[in-house]
Amino acid sequence: FCNSGAEANEACIKLARRYMRVVRQRDAYEIITLGGCFHGRTLGALAATGRESLSNGFTPLPEGFRQVPAKDLEALRAAITPATAAVLVEVVQGEGGVVPLPADYLHGVQALCREKDILFLCDEVQAGFCRTGKFWAFQLYDLEPDAISMAKSLANGLPMGAMLATDEMARGFEAGSHATTFGGGALTSAVAAKTVEIMLRDHLAQRAAALGAHLKEQLQALGQRLPGKIREVRGVGLMLGIELSGDGQPVWEELLRRGYICNLSHGVTLRLLPPLTIDEADLDGFARVLEEVLRAN
Ligand SMILES: *Cc1c(COP(=O)(O)O)cnc(C)c1O
């Protein structure tokens, strides 16, 4: 247990390295990530993210990271060397603009990891905890990661992260290998336990799947009614992205003025991450207001 998503990824990276070194006796330490990813803002997580705009001014970053374009299995295959320890992916890239990676590509990544005897890691920090309509995003495609990182929704707004690994990979840590003072503190742990209990009790994954499908349908219909305004509606469950054809800034600002807090990714994609408990009527209200705003912009 830790305090943030970045730290949860650091734990994943540290465990991958130590598992390879200590358990497998291999000098494999490199982590491969995908273009468009986001893994956090600590130095290691920044190196994993590999985005110049975020690391500008903070160099040197730790070594041992390599990035390949997403959705290109051959590029990944070519990047794997004896120094490779793991591949780290987001099943649905969040900060990258809500980009769901295709199921066949993800299965290809996992198969390649097995073939090359390296670890397959999923960053569930944004997509985890029922957001995509499954408890974990990797369950959308029946993937079997060796470890996952989580945070954001875990303690429902209190700072908490965690890293979960298979028994095999967990052999890489012994007591004392990795820790943090506030990790697993009593207050955040109690809140997290109750949060997860409520997620399961109230079937929030199924709820996210149903409400997300409903909203996506409305947004796609809106795209048809307003040709030239919406390029694409992407995402799964209540993790949706609306890529606009033009500048998204005025649309985003007007939505904010009207009470809707979206996120604008790359200046063109509105990212929607509503509460999993949101009422359908509020989603319908958003779709109505978005139509008005798009017609005026
Ligand atoms: C937000 C996010 C992080 C970083 O989490 P922090 O709690 O901000 O450190 C890592 N990975 C993904 C996919 C995220 O969305």
Side-chain angles (χ1 to χ4, degrees), residues 4-6 9 38-40 90 123 125-126 152:
S4 70
N9 282 323
F38 181 80
H39 298 300
E90 287 166 272
D123 178 338
V125 172
Q126 187 165 142
K152 292 197 167 89

Side-chain angles (χ1 to χ4, degrees), residues 63-290:
E63 292 170 22
F65 294 89
R66 184 189 279 237
Q67 196 163 89
V68 296
K71 307 183 202 176
D72 183 344
L73 271 183
E74 285 321 302
L76 178 60
R77 178 181 289 280
I80 296 172
T81 70
T84 309
V87 179
L88 171 62
V89 309
E90 287 166 272
V91 170
V92 184
Q93 295 186 325
E95 286 284 315
V98 191
V99 180
L101 297 178
D104 58 344
Y105 170 72
L106 289 164
H107 277 284
V109 173
Q110 178 174 276
L112 197 47
C113 290
R114 302 290 184 252
E115 178 194 325
K116 300 283 186 182
D117 196 18
I118 58 174
L119 299 160
F120 176 57
L121 314 175
C122 291
D123 178 338
E124 291 272 353
V125 172
Q126 187 165 142
F129 295 107
C130 306
R131 173 63 53 195
T132 65
K134 295 285 185 188
F135 195 88
W136 301 116
F138 73 75
Q139 293 174 314
L140 285 167
Y141 311 120
D142 296 318
L143 297 165
E144 294 185 353
D146 296 292
I148 62 175
S149 54
M150 66 196 78
K152 292 197 167 89
S153 305
L154 172 52
N156 203 31
L158 289 190
M160 188 181 216
M163 184 269 290
L164 196 62
T166 60
D167 287 341
E168 171 57 24
M169 183 172 164
R171 293 168 64 209
F173 276 173
E174 304 138 52
S177 299
H178 181 73
T180 176
T181 301
F182 290 121
L187 174 64
T188 49
S189 296
V191 173
K194 183 53 86 175
T195 301
V196 171
E197 181 190 314
I198 291 171
M199 284 173 176
L200 296 172
R201 183 194 72 194
D202 293 353
H203 307 290
L204 293 190
Q206 290 93 318
R207 189 182 160 79
L211 288 180
H214 170 77
L215 179 58
K216 196 173 181 182
E217 220 168 83
Q218 290 199 58
L219 296 173
Q220 277 163 341
L222 181 56
Q224 311 248 291
R225 275 204 301 285
L226 300 177
K229 294 282 189 182
I230 294 178
R231 183 166 293 150
E232 190 183 22
V233 179
R234 296 187 291 266
V236 264
L238 284 175
M239 184 171 181
L240 295 173
I242 308 165
E243 186 174 331
L244 303 174
S245 307
D247 181 10
Q249 189 72 23
V251 177
W252 175 79
E253 275 172 21
E254 184 56 23
L255 285 170
L256 190 59
R257 257 194 294 279
R258 313 244 330 223
Y260 293 98
I261 306 172
C262 304
N263 173 280
L264 187 64
S265 169
H266 299 284
V268 290
T269 301
L270 294 167
R271 181 174 49 157
L272 311 181
L273 297 162
L276 304 178
T277 52
I278 197 166
D279 285 333
E280 191 173 296
D282 289 327
L283 294 175
D284 294 345
F286 170 78
R288 264 197 314 277
V289 169
L290 178 63

